[in-house]
Amino acid sequence: MTDQLIIFDTTLRDGEQSPGASMTREEKIRIARQLEKMRVDVIEAGFPAASPGDFEAVRAVAATIRDSTVCGLARAQFADIERAGEAIKPAARGRIHTFIATSAIHMEKKLRMSPEQVLTQAVAAVKRARDFTDDVEFSAEDAGRSDPDFLCRVFEAVIAAGARTVNVPDTVGYTMPQQYGALIASLRARIPNSDQAIFSVHCHNDLGLAVANSLSAVLAGARQVECTINGLGERAGNAALEEIVMAVRTRKDVFPVETRIDTTQIVAASRLVSGITGFPVQPNKAVVGANAFAHESGIHQDGVLKNRETYEIMRAEDVGWNANRLVLGKLSGRNAFRNRLQELGIELESEVQLNSAFQRFKELADRKHEIFDEDLHALVSNDSLTPEAEHYSLVSMRAHSETGEAPEARVTLRAGMVEHTATSTGSGPVDATFKAIEQMAPSGAQLQLYSVNAITSGTESQGEVTVRLAQGERVVNGLGADTDIVVASAKAYLNAMNKLHHGAARLNPQA
Ligand code: KIV
Ligand code: ZN
């Protein structure tokens, strides 16, 4: 007998809690569409009470996604729950995920509440959430360090109050696989009404054990795993979706479960999330790293040529490698362009956005005759802000570098309706470009990260630049792509400045 293992993706919520990984509404919609295409069961789209922007993003994802459940996070407080209930209203299937901490240290030091108060609040929160949807999940934050007897009481009470899923987070990544599996098994055995809820796990990777802990819990009867693409998430991240899914699929002999995931969409999802957040994927990362299927040593290559199973336990094509087929070229028309975007799950909201993306596609095709799917993703990621949110835009620029001369950049940008031009020197053309921008639009922001990636292979490829700027408490990522990496850098810098310009303050649910 195989059970279904529910895949609950929290890239858009816990993933977004990584410093610098915050996403715009449009970026969240683009990732949610890819998750839906991958057949993720539940998409946790955000924490609606965090800010008006987060609320709007969850609402927009709920209005867009039809084939996955869309979930909003809420602390166990009525105001949060009402906000989440409102945000998921347009969803075909909506879930409220409410949580409160249950470990002694969190209750005493953070919440300053007694265990009895926590229990009462948990039950009240679940009941309130049921006023909005039948699909209510309850999490006992820091369950990994909570007293198991108390956990039994809380879970029994919230199940009786209407929680259909109970989640046992290892919030601080402290547990060991055997111990965590035993905790799940004992909760299921001891809680009298445990058969009325699905047991879920949510593991953080502080000791590098998030995937191992989640899999151990699956063996102990957990039937929902909360995870993120590329393992993105608070601190060291969450359990990586691609590793969980491929582990249970590859080791069917060990795990009596199957997922609904279309694994051929995994690499596309990984690239999309990495591109949008600016968090690169390490080459040796399992499943989605560039070297995950590369055989370097002669002995391995020889073995794979004779029989691929000598060294390969999964097929690269099963997770979507080698799928970046040539798509469009200079002569492709607007319809072909629109169709390919749709096939990639990219739906631009208006004709104006489509026209502007098509214009950029034509400009790119003049410079680069082979346009791959990755180029199209990069092309539209420049549209991650709505036109109204684009306060700063690049009008033109020129950069000069010559051996023995100080590199110089001249940049013209538009700020609101006004054009400005400035020239600056710097230690390199990129440095000079950023200094010229700062002369015209001083942000005082600190540059925390600058990275360049080739989107496809070859020197003709577009360079995709990520710029991370910190201004006080706020950290944003800007992205820019162009065949000229200095121009891509200027675009990325301005993209980050636009996010700083428009961003409202947001709350971290666990703060
Ligand atoms: O890590 C955690 O405990 C969480 C909860 C909100 C589920 O993210
Ligand atoms: Zn978490």
Side-chain angles (χ1 to χ4, degrees):
M1 270 283 283
T2 43
D3 285 348
Q4 197 206 327
L5 180 63
I6 297 168
I7 298 296
F8 175 115
D9 180 280
T10 183
T11 307
L12 302 181
R13 197 278 297 170
D14 217 327
E16 202 200 16
Q17 283 174 224
S18 304
S22 76
M23 303 164 207
T24 64
R25 191 177 74 119
E26 283 66 31
E27 288 167 342
K28 281 198 171 187
I29 292 175
R30 203 171 312 141
I31 292 176
R33 283 208 175 107
Q34 177 61 28
L35 295 175
E36 180 184 39
K37 193 169 175 189
M38 205 166 72
R39 308 189 64 209
V40 156
D41 299 290
V42 186
I43 299 174
E44 186 163 56
F47 171 40
S51 71
D54 285 52
F55 174 86
E56 284 308 328
V58 176
R59 205 176 158 82
V61 171
T64 308
I65 299 302
R66 298 293 92 184
D67 292 335
S68 307
T69 297
V70 177
C71 172
L73 181 72
R75 291 168 299 184
Q77 297 172 7
F78 283 8
D80 272 31
I81 291 167
E82 283 150 19
R83 209 66 186 133
E86 193 56 37
I88 60 158
K89 228 181 214 167
R93 289 191 305 276
R95 173 179 295 190
I96 295 179
H97 175 192
T98 185
F99 76 99
I100 190 164
T102 49
S103 64
I105 182 166
H106 276 232
M107 291 190 289
E108 213 178 295
K109 308 281 182 210
K110 182 179 89 166
L111 300 175
R112 297 185 203 288
M113 286 168 78
S114 70
E116 294 316 308
Q117 286 172 318
V118 165
L119 194 144
T120 308
Q121 194 161 322
V123 168
V126 168
K127 285 192 176 148
R128 183 71 183 114
R130 282 294 301 253
D131 294 338
F132 296 91
T133 170
D134 290 346
D135 190 351
V136 172
E137 170 170 339
F138 171 79
S139 277
E141 189 191 4
D142 204 17
R145 292 189 299 170
S146 300
D147 169 18
D149 293 343
F150 183 54
L151 278 181
C152 285
R153 286 182 60 213
V154 173
F155 284 139
E156 181 181 352
V158 295
I159 294 170
R164 286 203 177 157
T165 305
V166 287
N167 185 35
V168 189
D170 181 19
T171 304
V172 291
Y174 180 71
T175 61
M176 293 290 126
Q178 205 184 10
Q179 184 189 15
Y180 191 60
L183 174 65
I184 302 297
S186 116
L187 292 173
R188 291 185 60 233
R190 291 179 57 198
I191 297 171
N193 53 2
S194 65
D195 59 327
Q196 289 165 38
I198 289 178
F199 276 71
S200 166
V201 289
H202 174 114
C203 297
H204 279 271
N205 207 27
D206 299 67
L207 292 172
L209 292 169
V211 169
N213 282 340
S214 306
L215 292 174
S216 170
V218 171
L219 288 177
R223 289 296 175 262
Q224 173 175 287
V225 173
E226 302 196 353
C227 44
T228 57
I229 303 292
N230 300 336
L232 196 70
E234 280 263 2
R235 306 181 309 279
N238 290 62
L241 177 147
E242 60 278 6
E243 294 177 23
I244 303 277
V245 168
M246 291 316 288
V248 301
R249 182 183 143 131
T250 307
R251 296 305 307 269
K252 288 194 180 83
D253 55 328
V254 175
F255 298 99
V257 293
E258 57 193 12
T259 72
R260 289 192 329 132
I261 299 294
D262 174 357
T263 59
T264 62
Q265 294 299 324
I266 285 178
V267 167
S270 163
R271 290 194 169 164
L272 184 63
V273 169
S274 167
I276 285 178
T277 58
F279 280 57
V281 175
Q282 73 197 55
N284 57 330
K285 163 84 180 60
V287 184
V288 292
N291 291 349
F293 293 88
H295 299 280
E296 188 65 27
S297 93
I299 295 176
H300 287 205
Q301 285 175 351
D302 181 56
V304 169
L305 286 174
K306 287 178 176 145
N307 179 335
R308 63 193 293 171
E309 284 174 21
T310 50
Y311 286 100
E312 274 185 12
I313 58 166
M314 301 170 265
R315 295 187 315 168
E317 55 271 35
D318 287 350
V319 294
W321 282 107
N322 307 327
N324 69 336
R325 60 198 167 86
L326 177 66
V327 280
L328 301 168
K330 195 174 168 162
L331 300 176
S332 307
R334 207 163 164 283
N335 269 345
F337 175 71
R338 184 207 301 261
N339 287 344
R340 189 61 198 147
L341 289 186
Q342 270 166 3
E343 278 167 29
L344 291 173
I346 303 170
E347 265 159 52
L348 299 178
E349 275 178 11
S350 62
E351 280 300 298
V352 178
Q353 273 186 319
L354 180 72
N355 289 341
S356 125
F358 185 60
Q359 175 69 29
R360 288 200 305 278
F361 161 72
K362 282 290 182 189
E363 285 163 15
L364 179 63
D366 273 340
R367 284 173 284 140
K368 182 175 189 289
H369 61 276
E370 294 176 329
I371 309 271
F372 295 89
D373 291 349
E374 287 86 341
D375 290 313
L376 295 181
H377 276 297
L379 196 86
V380 296
S381 69
N382 289 342
D383 266 353
S384 60
L385 294 162
T386 55
E388 316 82 71
E390 256 219 348
H391 182 71
Y392 300 110
S393 58
L394 181 68
V395 177
S396 63
M397 66 168 295
R398 194 185 65 203
H400 181 79
S401 52
E402 191 177 332
T403 40
E405 297 284 325
E408 189 183 86
R410 181 170 186 272
V411 181
T412 300
L413 59 79
R414 190 171 294 117
M417 303 301 281
V418 188
E419 274 190 19
H420 305 267
T421 299
T423 303
S424 177
T425 52
S427 59
V430 172
D431 186 46
T433 301
F434 290 177
K435 285 187 170 136
I437 294 174
E438 280 290 326
Q439 266 180 40
M440 294 178 275
S443 70
Q446 198 200 340
L447 180 66
Q448 286 196 335
L449 174 115
Y450 171 77
S451 82
V452 189
N453 277 307
I455 292 176
T456 51
S457 54
T459 50
E460 202 206 23
S461 160
Q462 289 199 90
E464 185 168 56
V465 172
T466 305
V467 162
R468 186 171 302 151
L469 295 182
Q471 198 181 50
E473 296 275 276
R474 301 198 55 225
V475 183
V476 294
N477 281 314
L479 292 181
D482 201 280
T483 47
D484 180 329
I485 58 163
V486 186
V487 175
S489 304
K491 288 181 181 170
Y493 200 90
L494 292 173
N495 185 241
M497 298 246 303
N498 278 322
K499 289 183 180 174
L500 285 177
H501 187 75
H502 283 277
R506 53 202 297 274
L507 200 69
N508 180 323
Q510 283 152 323

